[in-house]
Amino acid sequence: MQGGPLSPLLANIYLDELDKELEARHHRFVRYADDLIILCRSRRARSGRLNEPPGSLRSGCSSRSIRTSRA
């Protein structure tokens, strides 16, 4: 369904739980459809957040789908 008009809608429905979990953990983040940016102040904070995927997304996260970069 990638690229179809329903793709962003389905991503928003599926990732709503992630949004709530990140807000509950007081993380700063930006998400548009299935693209997500989590803002961290340090490398230590970044590695801790990537090691603990929230809720039901643990099974959906793979090391290939996670990229980190320095701003």
Side-chain angles (χ1 to χ4, degrees), residues 2 9 15-16 21 24 32 35 37 39 41 44 46-47 53 55-57 59-60 62 64-65 67 71:
Q2 183 176 357
L9 174 66
L15 294 173
D16 185 57
E21 181 70 26
Y32 178 77
D35 293 324
I37 298 173
L39 306 167
R41 292 185 182 265
R44 183 177 178 192
R46 178 183 68 194
S47 63
S56 65
L57 295 173
S59 62
S62 72
R64 292 176 294 159
S65 64
R67 289 182 292 162

Side-chain angles (χ1 to χ4, degrees), residues 1-13:
M1 184 155 307
Q2 183 176 357
L6 286 178
S7 184
L9 174 66
L10 294 175
N12 282 328
I13 292 170

Side-chain angles (χ1 to χ4, degrees), residues 37-40 42-43 46 50 66-71:
I37 298 173
I38 300 175
L39 306 167
C40 304
S42 67
R43 287 183 181 177
R46 178 183 68 194
L50 290 177
I66 298 174
R67 289 182 292 162
T68 62
S69 62
R70 254 178 51 182

